[in-house]
Amino acid sequence: LEQKGAADILDDDRLVMATMYISSKNEVTGETIERHAIEKCVDVKRKTVNDLLDEYSGDDNNISREDLQLCIDSISDAIAVVESNVAPVQRMIRLLEENFKQNSHEKGFSLELRGNSGSSFSSSRYGYGFGAFGSGFGSSLRDSSGPTLSHSHSTQYTFVWQSLTLWREVQRNMHRLWVCADSDLLSVTTSYQLLNTGQGLNRVQSCPRVGKVMRQLLTKTQKAAGSPWVGLSVIHLGDRDVPNALVFIDKYTQIPRFLKPIVDFCDDIPGLCSNEKIKAYVEEQFGSERNLKMTVLSDYFKHGFDGSGDDGGSCIDGRLTSSWNW
């Protein structure tokens, strides 16, 4: 844009509308937005793009209409990637805040954890935990050590909230982290070693640029928390746990992939229960639609952040390992 003399478009307020992300779900409630409302937003966005193309490209400008369209589409795509990855994390934070209280809990839905070597996967208050659905949901796939953290309900609530908030910041800055990861991997001043990390041979290399950004995001999250940080603030990079910047990026790109199915399921429970047979099944096994949602959420907020899994724990990387293990 600078080379073509069209950088002024970046200061045009209409560019925000032209590149906005249009979601099919309400970010606050998780409800599906009606089709006509989405189409209206698309029409407004398309018209705004055409207005910008008419003003900043063409015969009186150095940039062609096609090149400017490509630039606008590129910005729009970058925003869409970030927003779509932030959305499930933000929704999970809202589900935590809407359904749980920090200083009290509903009977049967406490987030209290008691670390105990060899502990098994807990069942629900109705005696019908996820282990009953087969080995895919049971403790057989969980690390044999079970929970390694011991937290009260209040502490665990804070631990989960702080972890999710940090993940949200990471997703918002993923493009920046990608650039830093490329620079760290291709560095001509930082050497690497090929070592067996316990998961085969890996390229172990320090990640100073990624580490600097992560420390900034962690500090920002800690200040926003408004309460003492729960757990360790150690960021594993360039070691046995996270050998290099590419492994770091790969791990954190998984966050929206495993959170989205959970939030989609919780938000879709009312729709699923519009089927009378499914509704009868849910009421028989869980008592109500809300109890089903609370069972899923309480299990995830407990055992997705219980320190289990290989190299799990309360450090920054361990939180993700536990959730991934869940």
Side-chain angles (χ1 to χ4, degrees):
L1 289 172
E2 289 179 348
Q3 291 176 353
K4 296 291 184 177
D8 288 347
I9 193 175
L10 298 175
D11 296 321
D12 195 313
D13 293 337
R14 291 173 295 175
L15 187 62
V16 176
M17 177 64 70
T19 58
M20 71 174 180
Y21 173 64
I22 301 175
S23 176
S24 60
K25 286 193 172 185
N26 185 301
E27 295 181 1
V28 177
T29 64
E31 296 177 350
T32 301
I33 299 174
E34 294 184 2
R35 187 64 192 173
H36 71 85
I38 295 177
E39 291 175 350
K40 183 178 180 179
C41 291
V42 171
D43 289 339
V44 172
K45 181 177 180 179
R46 185 181 296 114
K47 182 181 183 303
T48 306
V49 170
N50 287 329
D51 289 343
L52 291 172
L53 292 174
D54 291 340
E55 182 173 338
Y56 289 95
S57 67
D59 297 335
D60 298 332
N61 298 279
N62 294 327
I63 190 169
S64 67
R65 190 179 185 88
E66 291 75 17
D67 285 345
L68 185 57
Q69 176 81 63
L70 182 60
C71 290
I72 294 175
D73 289 345
S74 295
I75 297 172
S76 183
D77 287 346
I79 292 173
V81 169
V82 171
E83 292 295 332
S84 61
N85 287 339
V86 168
V89 187
Q90 180 63 46
R91 180 62 185 144
M92 186 62 81
I93 293 174
R94 289 188 180 277
L95 286 171
L96 173 65
E97 294 173 341
E98 292 170 356
N99 295 283
F100 297 86
K101 296 180 180 180
Q102 181 176 4
N103 298 319
S104 61
H105 62 84
E106 295 181 36
K107 183 179 180 181
F109 298 120
S110 170
L111 302 183
E112 182 180 3
L113 275 177
R114 293 188 179 279
N116 181 20
S117 178
S119 64
S120 60
F121 186 74
S122 62
S123 61
S124 73
R125 61 187 285 190
Y126 302 102
Y128 204 76
F130 292 112
F133 290 94
S135 60
F137 290 89
S139 60
S140 61
L141 294 184
R142 181 158 295 170
D143 185 80
S144 59
S145 64
T148 63
L149 304 178
S150 293
H151 287 161
S152 66
H153 170 85
S154 178
T155 301
Q156 182 68 4
Y157 178 99
T158 304
F159 183 65
V160 174
W161 188 91
Q162 291 175 346
S163 301
L164 290 172
T165 303
L166 176 62
W167 292 356
R168 181 179 60 190
E169 288 301 318
V170 171
Q171 297 306 313
R172 285 175 174 169
N173 290 271
M174 189 54 76
H175 290 311
R176 181 184 175 193
L177 288 164
W178 260 113
V179 172
C180 291
D182 284 345
S183 297
D184 284 338
L185 284 168
L186 301 176
S187 173
V188 296
T189 59
T190 304
S191 61
Y192 71 89
Q193 292 179 292
L194 195 63
L195 300 175
N196 188 336
T197 62
Q199 301 182 50
L201 291 175
N202 280 273
R203 171 177 173 152
V204 180
Q205 182 180 18
S206 64
C207 319
R209 296 171 182 83
V210 171
K212 180 179 179 180
V213 175
M214 276 300 296
R215 285 189 291 274
Q216 292 173 349
L217 298 179
L218 177 59
T219 299
K220 179 180 179 180
T221 304
Q222 290 173 328
K223 290 181 178 179
S227 59
W229 187 256
V230 177
L232 301 175
S233 56
V234 176
I235 301 172
H236 287 285
L237 284 169
D239 57 15
R240 177 181 177 275
D241 298 309
V242 185
N244 55 63
L246 183 60
V247 174
F248 167 86
I249 289 292
D250 179 62
K251 293 193 73 169
Y252 278 88
T253 53
Q254 306 304 318
I255 291 174
R257 297 178 185 176
F258 63 67
L259 286 185
K260 191 175 187 302
I262 305 173
V263 298
D264 283 351
F265 175 75
C266 291
D267 291 337
D268 291 344
I269 288 176
L272 291 171
C273 290
S274 62
N275 181 304
E276 291 299 323
K277 292 184 178 179
I278 294 179
K279 181 177 181 180
Y281 172 80
V282 169
E283 291 180 349
E284 178 185 353
Q285 299 296 339
F286 298 95
S288 67
E289 295 177 24
R290 184 175 185 280
N291 283 345
L292 170 58
K293 180 175 72 171
M294 291 295 290
T295 300
V296 174
L297 291 176
S298 61
D299 189 86
Y300 174 64
F301 292 145
K302 286 177 65 174
H303 297 291
F305 299 86
D306 63 2
S308 64
D310 183 42
D311 299 320
S314 67
C315 64
I316 302 305
D317 182 63
R319 301 161 193 251
L320 177 51
T321 301
S322 298
S323 208
W324 197 350
N325 187 61
W326 183 90

